[in-house]
Amino acid sequence: ANIRAFIDAHNADPKPFRWTKSADDILAAIQRFCLRSQTIGGISRSGH
């Protein structure tokens, strides 16, 4: 019931989603994350 109330309240005054970073910035952040996870014990935290 609480989740439904939140959704209803949010949808009553919706605002468009706006990207605040460029695609290049997002991809660079993903690359940094992947490189960082490889250095932690040689295995990523996801087990892959």
Side-chain angles (χ1 to χ4, degrees):
N2 289 337
I3 293 171
R4 176 55 58 192
F6 172 83
I7 292 170
D8 291 341
H10 180 74
N11 288 340
D13 186 25
K15 298 184 176 41
F17 182 82
R18 296 185 189 191
W19 292 102
T20 58
K21 293 188 176 194
S22 71
D24 288 336
D25 290 338
I26 294 168
L27 292 173
I30 293 169
Q31 182 181 30
R32 285 191 305 273
F33 173 79
C34 290
L35 292 172
R36 191 171 52 239
S37 351
Q38 288 176 356
T39 61
I40 301 172
I43 300 174
S44 70
R45 293 180 184 183
S46 66
H48 296 113

